[in-house]
Amino acid sequence: MIYSSKDNNLKVFEILEYIKSGESIDFSSLKELLERTYHLLKNESEHFENYNLGLSTICHVANMGISDSFLLKLLNDCVVQSRVFLYNSMIQSKLSQNEVPSFSLIDEIAKEFYTLEETDTILTRDQKRLFDLFHDKKRVIVSAPTSFGKSRIVQEIIIQGSYKNILIVLPTIALLNETFIRFKTNLKIADRYHIYNTLGARDHVFSMTGNIFILTPEKTDLLLDQNPEILFDFFTMDEIYKIQDGDERSKVFTNCLYRLSKIKEIHFYLIGPYFSGFSQKFIEKTHSDFVLFESEIVQKDEIDLSKLEKGENYIVNGKTYKYLVDNRRNLRNIFNAVEGQSLVYRGAQRDYAESLAKFLVEFKKRDCNIELIEYIKENISPEWSLVKCLESGIAFHHGALPKYIQTEIIDSFNNNELDLIVCTSTIVEGVNTTAKNVIIFDEFKGRNELDGFDVKNIKGRAGRFLEHFIGNIYSLVSLKDDQNKGEIEFSFYDDEVLDVEDTIQVEKNDLTGNNINIRENVEDLLKKEGIPLSVIKSNKFIKVHKQIELINALRNDIFIIDTLHFTSNLPTKDQLDLILHMCYEYLFTDQHYNDRNYTIGQLTRFTKYYVYLKPTIKELIYEQTHTKYIDTKVRNTFTLISKYFEFALPKYLTAFENLYNFVYEEKNNTDKGISLSYLITILEFGHSEEHEIALKEAGLPNEIIKKVSKRFDDCSNLEEIRLKFRMNPYLINSLSNFEKKIFNRYI
């Protein structure tokens, strides 16, 4: 039958809407739908809207679990035309019997065209186009939906390529951990490369070739500073839109991208969801290509409860409920009714996410007994509410949780051991889960309202390809219309007026207009002050005027230079107290300076306690005497470690060391100033021995490290530890079964 394009599309849409309504549908209507969809895909698949409409038919009909052989043949024909061949295996799995027609010889030849050598990976139509584009252009910027499989292409690029040194730059610890484990367990990658997810001590020596570094932008910047001899020939950055987020970290992302893109002849693959373009100046300067994909291979169905009136009926999985004013009760009803696992987005604050998870415990669907529970009881606190949540098949997830706990929660969820995770934005920024359902409980990201891009990104986490045909979204609050971000700007090239700190990081020939004047003004001022630009430039992301103020404060106090000078590994407690107060006064960002959770008095007290007494996590938790609630104690402790000890304080202390030593050499004509390296190492890793740092960097918690430390005290790096362990796996017999699992995961 011949269909006119417009009428055909309208009819397909009409029948699909009927299916989505939950009403039963007859054979003839399904037959017509599939025939029209085949026509649509065969003749107009180049149009995004039409192609996505065709995918929607495939997903919704396949999700029905039809068993009629004729309809299955029509569905199979639609799958072939879509060039998403893996739909066929998903249909077969859903039926659990040999009812799906096999591909014809011609279809098999087409499928072979989408199958990569080396790995036998079957790509979708758009993945194949992207892979071929990268193979041709070598510098590609990609915007594609969350279910696209962008990170899957990264692995194929590495396996099919011959790169010497690779950088994978990721925004969150959760995404970093997921990627590290995926690469480590992929033998086609792990057998060819040393894989690092941290840097180790400052003086750690890496091989010149055969490395993959999976790092945050902050660690990437440090790696480039400390190891300029390592020549990188490929890098990728995920969630690339973060260069435009406007927060403190966006500057780190931008600087990291700038430095990497300036490496001669380096290949790159920049990826993220839902943006419509990228800086034309960046594209021109780097001779790169931007490509936009918009097809959703996992379809999304949404119920927006915020539009309902009180008492109005809505249906979830065949069950009818009345809309209530209290969204916690609406959430309870949805949780009870849905099939499959769920993510609940609670993005306002970390404690809000914890509180909502505790509320849902009362409505648990099963008892859970994962090994993480006993470990938390023993090493953190049996009273911590995460214990009770996990026992009920529920978890909360936010950025302050230690990375091994984040990983265990995601792993348990993906192994179907947990039913639901209440999460902040950390889990919706690139982390892959098996969640079929996403329930949006509030409209905030931190203290700011979600914009249309955030909404689209969160919704995109519903459903996972090869697991689900359809992801379900339940909105409990009124949200902005989901939309793409538009064109992502690269501030170093696009902003007419950069911050002073940015202009000194950019090569002069990349600056134009006002930015050249700003740079020259800074250089003139520093020359008058007698301060080399290199001294200021080395302290990235710290305000230039604050650095100058600190230098002058040190210059003008005739006693302070001598008071702060020390030659041992650590300063005295009084010296450390003064150093931290000066960092607070001169170097802290506004965010850290105004942090009401940790005053400078509290920070100095906890820092000295941590550095000089080396407490366990449990001891540090119970030292949080400014609050009586155990959940707050635990959350504050993990925030203290992740936000200050491992990140902020090392940055400030490094800058202080640089500036102090500049003034010390200026006054005493000698470079024998102070070294805060040992102090920074203790803060970053909780350890000072090389083998303990290597174990911590690999991802092991301190409590496990302490138990096995003596077994590996003759090792100086992770490679030696792994080799020794492979020869004698009984070295870790003192660990529990769960601790052995953690050790094996990371080592």
Side-chain angles (χ1 to χ4, degrees):
M1 184 178 291
I2 299 175
Y3 304 105
S4 68
S5 297
K6 184 177 180 181
D7 290 342
N8 185 57
N9 293 4
L10 286 173
K11 190 62 179 178
V12 170
F13 180 80
E14 178 186 317
I15 301 174
L16 266 178
E17 289 302 302
Y18 186 82
I19 290 175
K20 292 179 185 180
S21 72
E23 299 290 336
S24 61
I25 187 168
D26 58 32
F27 174 90
S28 61
S29 296
L30 280 175
K31 174 178 175 292
E32 180 182 1
L33 173 63
L34 291 168
E35 287 173 342
R36 287 179 177 275
T37 298
Y38 179 82
H39 176 84
L40 181 155
L41 289 168
K42 184 175 182 180
N43 295 288
E44 300 182 82
S45 61
E46 295 304 311
H47 299 280
F48 150 67
E49 294 87 355
N50 294 343
Y51 183 64
N52 212 34
L53 184 59
L55 297 185
S56 187
T57 291
I58 292 171
C59 288
H60 282 87
V61 174
N63 195 60
M64 294 170 63
I66 59 172
S67 57
D68 181 87
S69 59
F70 181 73
L71 292 178
L72 285 171
K73 178 64 172 70
L74 291 178
L75 181 59
N76 183 75
D77 292 342
C78 291
V79 169
V80 172
Q81 285 302 322
S82 75
R83 297 302 191 255
V84 185
F85 293 98
L86 288 172
Y87 278 149
N88 190 272
S89 60
M90 293 173 66
I91 296 168
Q92 182 71 66
S93 174
K94 188 174 181 65
L95 290 170
S96 300
Q97 49 189 309
N98 192 28
E99 292 180 288
V100 181
S102 59
F103 293 136
S104 68
L105 179 60
I106 294 175
D107 297 340
E108 287 292 348
I109 293 172
K111 178 182 173 184
E112 198 62 30
F113 179 73
Y114 290 83
T115 304
L116 298 179
E117 296 180 5
E118 293 282 334
T119 60
D120 289 330
T121 299
I122 302 172
L123 301 180
T124 66
R125 184 199 75 166
D126 287 349
Q127 285 176 335
K128 182 67 165 61
R129 291 177 177 179
L130 173 55
F131 185 81
D132 290 344
L133 176 67
F134 179 84
H135 189 267
D136 181 41
K137 300 293 186 178
K138 307 301 185 187
R139 292 185 165 196
V140 178
I141 307 161
V142 185
S143 171
T146 53
S147 59
F148 183 90
K150 300 180 289 295
S151 58
R152 187 181 179 200
I153 300 298
V154 174
Q155 294 181 85
E156 295 300 330
I157 288 172
I158 293 171
I159 293 169
Q160 312 282 344
S162 55
Y163 296 110
K164 295 178 180 178
N165 290 301
I166 295 168
L167 261 169
I168 313 291
V169 187
L170 302 170
T172 65
I173 295 298
L175 187 54
L176 188 151
N177 291 342
E178 178 196 323
T179 305
F180 174 72
I181 292 168
R182 188 169 65 244
F183 276 39
K184 185 173 173 288
T185 54
N186 187 325
L187 296 182
K188 290 184 180 295
I189 295 176
D191 286 349
R192 288 171 53 191
Y193 293 96
H194 304 289
I195 304 173
Y196 302 97
N197 63 344
T198 44
L199 300 181
R202 286 184 176 186
D203 56 355
H204 182 79
V205 178
F206 297 102
S207 302
M208 292 298 292
T209 60
N211 302 304
I212 295 178
F213 294 92
I214 305 172
L215 303 171
T216 61
E218 291 83 359
K219 291 290 187 181
T220 298
D221 197 58
L222 196 60
L223 173 69
L224 296 176
D225 284 344
Q226 294 178 354
N227 299 273
E229 71 284 356
I230 299 180
L231 303 179
F232 290 96
D233 45 3
F234 173 70
F235 78 95
T236 181
M237 288 185 75
D238 202 352
E239 310 294 304
I240 191 64
Y241 62 85
K242 284 187 171 292
I243 65 170
Q244 192 181 273
D245 269 4
D247 57 11
E248 184 182 342
R249 286 197 80 202
S250 66
K251 291 183 175 294
V252 186
F253 273 78
T254 300
N255 183 71
C256 179
L257 176 57
Y258 177 74
R259 295 185 71 180
L260 290 171
S261 67
K262 296 293 288 186
I263 297 174
K264 188 176 180 181
E265 297 182 355
I266 195 169
H267 298 171
F268 60 71
Y269 174 72
L270 311 180
I271 55 180
Y274 310 126
F275 57 93
S276 301
F278 203 81
S279 164
Q280 286 301 308
K281 290 182 180 178
F282 180 90
I283 288 172
E284 290 166 8
K285 283 180 175 286
T286 59
H287 306 289
S288 54
D289 286 81
F290 170 76
V291 60
L292 170 66
F293 295 98
E294 296 189 85
S295 56
E296 296 273 4
I297 57 175
V298 178
Q299 291 292 303
K300 318 296 181 188
D301 285 351
E302 181 175 359
I303 297 178
D304 186 353
L305 276 70
S306 70
K307 295 180 179 179
L308 301 179
E309 298 292 335
K310 179 183 176 182
E312 190 174 346
N313 288 341
Y314 63 95
I315 299 173
V316 178
N317 195 29
K319 299 178 181 178
T320 302
Y321 296 97
K322 291 187 181 300
Y323 178 68
L324 306 170
V325 174
D326 183 357
N327 266 338
R328 297 212 305 178
R329 294 170 66 192
N330 291 322
L331 173 60
R332 174 200 64 193
N333 290 338
I334 294 170
F335 176 47
N336 286 334
V338 294
E339 289 183 353
Q341 297 162 287
S342 302
L343 294 179
V344 178
Y345 177 80
R346 185 71 163 109
Q349 292 176 211
R350 292 166 176 172
D351 55 329
Y352 289 5
E354 295 177 8
S355 177
L356 192 60
K358 288 186 282 186
F359 165 76
L360 289 170
V361 166
E362 182 181 345
F363 313 103
K364 66 180 180 179
K365 295 184 175 181
R366 58 171 163 174
D367 293 325
C368 178
N369 190 31
I370 59 174
E371 294 173 305
L372 175 62
I373 295 169
E374 291 304 316
Y375 184 86
I376 290 174
K377 287 180 179 179
E378 179 183 347
N379 295 285
I380 298 175
S381 171
E383 287 85 33
W384 187 24
S385 63
L386 183 59
V387 170
K388 191 173 182 180
C389 288
L390 291 174
E391 289 174 339
S392 303
I394 294 168
F396 51 78
H397 188 289
H398 53 64
L401 295 179
K403 58 185 178 180
Y404 76 93
I405 291 182
Q406 290 189 30
T407 300
E408 284 303 308
I409 286 173
I410 299 299
D411 194 46
S412 296
F413 186 77
N414 288 344
N415 288 334
N416 200 31
E417 295 171 315
L418 299 174
D419 296 312
L420 179 144
I421 301 177
V422 182
C423 60
T424 60
S425 61
T426 55
I427 207 172
V428 294
E429 293 180 328
V431 179
N432 294 310
T433 73
T434 53
K436 180 177 177 64
N437 313 295
V438 166
I439 307 167
I440 305 176
F441 189 85
D442 69 38
E443 66 273 35
F444 295 98
K445 183 178 181 182
R447 300 184 185 278
N448 300 317
E449 191 173 348
L450 293 171
D451 60 26
F453 166 77
D454 293 323
V455 171
K456 192 168 186 176
N457 200 12
I458 292 167
K459 290 180 178 179
R461 303 301 160 181
R464 183 177 183 179
F465 186 49
L466 299 180
E467 295 277 346
H468 312 112
F469 289 106
I470 299 169
N472 299 314
I473 301 154
Y474 302 91
S475 300
L476 299 178
V477 290
S478 179
L479 300 166
K480 293 181 179 178
D481 291 338
D482 46 307
Q483 59 185 6
N484 287 356
K485 254 190 181 297
E487 182 172 296
I488 304 298
E489 293 185 349
F490 183 73
S491 62
F492 283 8
Y493 297 155
D494 293 320
D495 285 5
E496 292 185 3
V497 180
L498 288 169
D499 289 342
V500 169
E501 292 71 33
D502 293 332
T503 63
I504 65 174
Q505 299 300 332
V506 180
E507 294 179 12
K508 253 190 170 179
N509 59 4
D510 283 327
L511 295 171
T512 58
N514 295 325
N515 293 322
I516 293 178
N517 295 332
I518 293 171
R519 169 69 172 266
E520 290 176 346
N521 289 341
V522 173
E523 291 175 346
D524 290 343
L525 176 61
L526 291 175
K527 188 174 182 180
K528 289 178 183 177
E529 293 282 349
I531 303 171
L533 176 64
S534 59
V535 171
I536 301 298
K537 187 176 179 179
S538 65
N539 302 316
K540 298 184 188 72
F541 320 117
I542 294 179
K543 295 294 185 182
V544 171
H545 69 276
K546 290 188 174 184
Q547 294 189 58
I548 295 173
E549 283 184 54
L550 176 56
I551 287 174
N552 287 330
L554 292 169
R555 282 171 167 173
N556 295 332
D557 191 322
I558 59 174
F559 300 109
I560 201 164
I561 292 294
D562 292 335
T563 299
L564 290 179
H565 193 265
F566 65 94
T567 56
S568 57
N569 282 337
L570 285 172
T572 66
K573 291 181 181 179
D574 288 341
Q575 287 173 324
L576 178 54
D577 196 288
L578 181 54
I579 288 170
L580 290 173
H581 273 82
M582 294 192 76
C583 287
Y584 173 77
E585 184 66 29
Y586 294 102
L587 303 180
F588 271 34
T589 62
D590 291 342
Q591 177 193 8
H592 295 140
Y593 188 89
N594 298 316
D595 188 349
R596 289 176 294 180
N597 293 318
Y598 282 106
T599 65
I600 184 58
Q602 290 170 329
L603 266 182
T604 53
R605 180 171 73 87
F606 283 119
T607 301
K608 289 185 288 186
Y609 178 59
Y610 191 74
V611 168
Y612 296 107
L613 296 180
K614 297 183 179 178
T616 65
I617 289 293
K618 185 176 284 189
E619 289 169 336
L620 190 57
I621 288 169
Y622 287 100
E623 189 67 18
Q624 304 275 337
T625 54
H626 53 291
T627 180
K628 63 181 181 179
Y629 301 107
I630 186 62
D631 281 4
T632 308
K633 289 176 183 284
V634 173
R635 188 187 324 112
N636 285 353
T637 298
F638 290 149
T639 300
L640 175 68
I641 293 171
S642 62
K643 182 177 180 178
Y644 285 103
F645 291 172
E646 295 179 349
F647 173 61
L649 290 184
K651 177 180 71 171
Y652 296 134
L653 290 169
T654 298
F656 184 88
E657 177 188 309
N658 293 339
L659 300 176
Y660 173 92
N661 285 340
F662 165 70
V663 177
Y664 185 86
E665 183 173 359
E666 187 180 64
K667 284 186 172 294
N668 297 289
N669 199 30
T670 174
D671 61 0
K672 298 187 182 300
I674 63 173
S675 173
L676 297 175
S677 294
Y678 185 82
L679 169 64
I680 291 169
T681 298
I682 293 294
L683 287 172
E684 282 190 305
F685 307 111
H687 304 277
S688 58
E689 298 297 322
E690 286 184 336
H691 69 287
E692 292 177 330
I693 293 172
L695 290 168
K696 181 63 179 288
E697 286 252 274
L700 293 184
N702 287 342
E703 288 66 34
I704 293 180
I705 294 172
K706 289 175 182 177
K707 290 183 179 181
V708 300
S709 177
K710 289 184 179 179
R711 298 287 189 173
F712 299 98
D713 59 5
D714 56 346
C715 300
S716 59
N717 55 57
L718 193 57
E719 285 74 21
E720 290 182 10
I721 291 171
R722 285 173 174 157
L723 180 60
K724 185 173 182 179
F725 175 61
R726 281 200 300 268
M727 290 189 294
N728 184 6
Y730 301 105
L731 288 170
I732 63 170
N733 270 7
S734 61
L735 301 180
S736 68
N737 288 334
F738 174 74
E739 291 170 332
K740 288 177 182 176
K741 184 181 84 168
I742 297 295
F743 189 94
N744 279 287
R745 181 196 295 275
Y746 292 106
I747 305 300

